[in-house]
Amino acid sequence: MRYSAYRIDRARLIEAINMLGPGFDVRVAPHLETGESGPGENMVKTFMFPQPEVLFTFKKAPPTADDVDLLREPSLPHTTTLLFGIRPCDARSIHLNGLAYEEDTYFWHRIEGAIIVGYLCKTVLSTCFCQRVGSGPDDTRYMDVVMMDVEGDHDALLLHGITEKGMIFLSQELGPLLIKCGGAKEEIEQSLGSRQYPKDTNTLDTLLSSDLMALYNAPFWDQLKDGCLNCGICTFRCPTCYCFDIQDETLGAKGRRIRYWDSCMFPLFTQHASGHNPRGGKIFRVRNRFMHKLKYFPDRFGAISCVGCGRCVRDCPVNIDIREVLDNLLEVARS
Amino acid sequence: MLEVTGQHRECQEQLRKRARDLLASGEIAAFIGYGNGSLPWVPRPIVVRSPEEADRLVWNSFLTLNLANYLPGVLKELEPPRRRGEQVDPSTLPRVGIVATGCWSRNIVIQVQENQVDRSRVHIIGISSRGMISRHSFKQALGGKEALKIVENDHEIEVTLSHGETMVLSRWEYVRPNCKTCIHPGPVVSDETIGPPPGRRLVDERFREIEEVEAKDSQGRWEWFEEAFKDCIRCYACRNACPLCYCPTCFVDDSRPQWVGKSIETPDALTFHILRAYHCAGRCTDCGACESVCPVGIPMRLLTKKLIKEAQMLFDWEPGMSLEEAPLLGSFSPDDPDIAILKGGEKGT
Amino acid sequence: MNWEPKIIAFLCNWCSYAGADLAGVSRLQYPPNIRIIKVPCSGRISPNIILDAFLKGADGVWVSGCHPGDCHYISGNLYARRRLVLFERLMEFVGLEPGRLEFSWISASEGEQFAAKAKEVTERIRVLGPNTRLRKVF
């Protein structure tokens, strides 16, 4: 068995990452260096959903040629993307989005060509709530390699391959650049112990068994919407907001079809060609975002579409807090 | 948690009392103000609909959004449904109370000028602003740590961080630049005022930020613009936080013709910001809401401030100072400076 | 290098377009870099339109209408004058090269002035080179 476990200095690890071959598109989370708590910038979202994503390009046919390449799909990259140091919440977002993007070639090409090196959280921020949505700061699911701090030694990190892909990467690519350290294997096993996720399925179970219309018609939505600006900060910051729009852009005789982020907070999101808008008012849009994450998505895929990273809580300019919305919904569900 | 002492505390008590009285007497049906939220540095705009709720209202130095933004929406919400074209006597419609500082009240004036708000339906409680704290520089001051509790007095802000650490910041140092150089901290229109009169501001330095950019050459300005604006994620928070932006369909949502591409590519993002700023020409009061809400720290306020400077130089114009004025770009004078002769900065004006 | 500047000219129907017409019938030479788009009035020109031209690859934009006081619609060009002066100042502030945007008042009888202005604008933009700022490419 290709078991791989390493103990390494932070600075030396970063050096080793920089020495990896050109076959890797390396993206290192800033907190790997700083050790800062919290999910940090959302590099996983921009990796999953680059924008604009060119789906194909096209051009006007010259009048004479009959075999010209009018439509062309972009060549998908062959490099392996290394997402180094992402937090358990962000790693989990890849899994949750994968449920909705089951048949999306572009999405899966990227994900399958990526190695997720997760970094467990030693401490959390006051806005983190991963435990409430079926995960936790030491959730190692959805990672290829897990990385963690060593108690009492700020400079040391433990690395441990979880999936086949992760083990191969660690033992063949990164491993030779690192110095093996005796006892790391035992230390990791002891540290990880027998962790099981999801620990708390209470929230999910309550939401699943609740009556959709009772949640939809709950009175608190009316107050919640008052402050909302209907901007897209929460959706664009959210690692599990995956909605997109598609447009054809043309420039002279050529053009391209692009996919880019859209937000259910924008009126245009649901605007019909007839002019009618089923979510014309602010309240409908605010409600939809939370209902989708906390009820519609769980009903369909069996998981809450929120990883508890708290980015929306921190960045919302009017302090709409999904944790309070969740409390309110659970209260309605239980009554 | 956010606690206040001193002048702001007094304002807060009076504000609660007045809002409670107005709601209890039935003079107004709703009151727009700020309440506490789940994070101490982000107060939450709220609409108070009963006298009992008036105690939720707060007043402090972290109120960076412009409440005028909510006024047309709340007024409309209180109107009974009516048929298309049906005329209603505004004096029969429910009234709304709102608290307003200088710039917020100037934005209400503009909303009245532009027929978005009926002055007779609004009860304005004016409070002179002492300047609001910049969320961006406040965050920076904490150096990546989290504020768990804030206690504010007249000149200092005491922040409790995680692990029980505390930090004391001088309030004025973190006040937003637009507030520091504000020409009108006190309300322009109001039905009553509370709190002390406005203090003096650095009005001489009003356009210093603009002059710093103007001092660069064309290439330098372009590099500054591209660098400062390229991170835009097109969340439109700047647009939506702006009390001037009430168009039913924004130019960015037009699809035939489509004025600006939808993705975050630099030319599209820059075009969006130029047009957004231009739409505020002659109307922007430099309230700073756009810049405060931006999640990536884009200084879009400088574009609108440049327009304020030009409008003042070319047309001697200050937006939102009087209910009787016609909008700057909705009017003209035969003596206006002539664009075909006048050229911009570099050609010497 | 055989780059030639592309200049979009928005000319009002009543004065400047007629001025261009007069330049044509009078056989006055002016550079073919000017692509004319006829608009009802210079007051019709919104900054959206000007920026759209730059985004799509114009190297310069020229807006021309009736002389102030001569507007077919009485005051369209007077509104335009206020709006466009602020827009021009904003564009220069964000680093658009001075001279890429041109404004003029040309009447229906000013064919010569039209041709002269067209030459002046073309030469100025030729010196500035292709528009790279604010131009969308893919």
Side-chain angles (χ1 to χ4, degrees), chain B residues 86-108:
Chain B
E86 188 186 344
Q87 293 298 312
V88 178
D89 178 6
S91 64
T92 62
L93 294 171
R95 299 176 75 234
V96 170
I98 187 169
V99 56
T101 63
C103 49
W104 306 353
S105 74
R106 287 170 67 194
N107 276 105
I108 297 173

Side-chain angles (χ1 to χ4, degrees), chain A residues 287-327:
Chain A
R287 174 164 56 194
N288 182 74
R289 176 161 191 273
F290 294 111
M291 285 294 280
H292 177 256
K293 292 202 168 301
L294 305 174
K295 180 64 182 165
Y296 308 150
F297 193 93
D299 279 354
R300 178 140 179 222
F301 296 109
I304 297 171
S305 176
C306 171
V307 293
C309 68
R311 287 188 180 95
C312 57
V313 182
R314 276 194 299 285
D315 284 347
C316 178
V318 298
N319 188 247
I320 289 179
D321 192 327
I322 189 169
R323 296 171 299 177
E324 288 175 16
V325 178
L326 185 57
D327 289 338

Side-chain angles (χ1 to χ4, degrees), chain A residues 247 268, chain B residues 232 234 236 238-240 242 244-262 267-281 283 303, chain C residues 46-49 51-52 55 87 90:
Chain A
Q247 236 183 27
L268 202 65
Chain B
C232 177
R234 303 287 293 273
Y236 302 135
C238 46
R239 173 192 74 181
N240 291 15
C242 180
L244 304 171
C245 281
Y246 51 71
C247 293
T249 305
C250 177
F251 71 94
V252 296
D253 293 336
D254 277 338
S255 56
R256 282 188 174 209
Q258 187 177 52
W259 299 114
V260 47
K262 304 285 265 182
D268 291 327
L270 300 186
T271 304
F272 162 66
H273 279 286
I274 294 171
L275 288 175
R276 189 201 73 83
Y278 181 75
H279 282 188
C280 304
R283 309 162 68 214
L303 302 188
Chain C
S46 123
N48 293 9
I49 295 173
L51 281 176
D52 193 44
L55 267 177
F87 181 64
L90 179 64

Side-chain angles (χ1 to χ4, degrees), chain A residues 147-161:
Chain A
M147 187 163 56
M148 67 189 95
D149 291 300
V150 177
E151 220 33 72
D153 184 354
H154 173 77
D155 287 333
L157 288 166
L158 295 172
L159 273 91
H160 168 54

Side-chain angles (χ1 to χ4, degrees), chain B residues 210 213-214 218-219 221-222 224-225 251 258-259 265 267-268 270-271 274-275 278-279 281 302-303 306-307 310-311 314-315 328-334 336-340 342-346 349, chain C residues 44 46-49 51-52 55-56 68 74-75 78-99 101-105 117 124 132-138:
Chain B
I210 305 305
V213 178
E214 284 172 339
S218 176
Q219 177 68 26
R221 289 197 298 269
W222 173 255
W224 161 78
F225 180 51
F251 71 94
Q258 187 177 52
W259 299 114
E265 283 179 311
D268 291 327
L270 300 186
T271 304
I274 294 171
L275 288 175
Y278 181 75
H279 282 188
L302 296 188
L303 302 188
K306 166 71 178 172
L307 289 165
E310 292 302 329
L314 293 166
F315 308 109
L328 176 71
L329 296 188
S331 55
F332 64 86
S333 151
D336 280 343
D338 195 331
I339 187 172
L342 254 188
K343 291 291 173 190
E346 291 201 334
T349 41
Chain C
R44 172 69 184 83
S46 123
N48 293 9
I49 295 173
L51 281 176
D52 193 44
L55 267 177
K56 302 253 164 73
I74 317 293
S75 56
L78 295 173
Y79 286 109
R81 187 163 70 169
R82 266 202 179 181
R83 290 172 190 171
L84 296 175
V85 71
L86 284 174
F87 181 64
E88 191 200 29
R89 297 284 169 97
L90 179 64
M91 291 308 291
E92 290 198 6
F93 184 69
V94 300
L96 186 81
E97 301 97 323
L101 251 178
E102 178 68 33
F103 303 98
S104 66
W105 315 122
K117 196 73 179 173
R124 189 180 328 126
T132 53
R133 304 170 186 179
L134 287 177
R135 178 182 193 160
K136 185 151 175 165
V137 280
F138 59 74

Side-chain angles (χ1 to χ4, degrees), chain A residues 44-45 48 88-98 239-240 307:
Chain A
V44 181
K45 176 152 180 164
M48 286 185 285
C89 48
D90 284 347
R92 186 161 179 248
S93 73
I94 301 176
H95 162 72
L96 291 174
N97 293 329
T240 59
V307 293

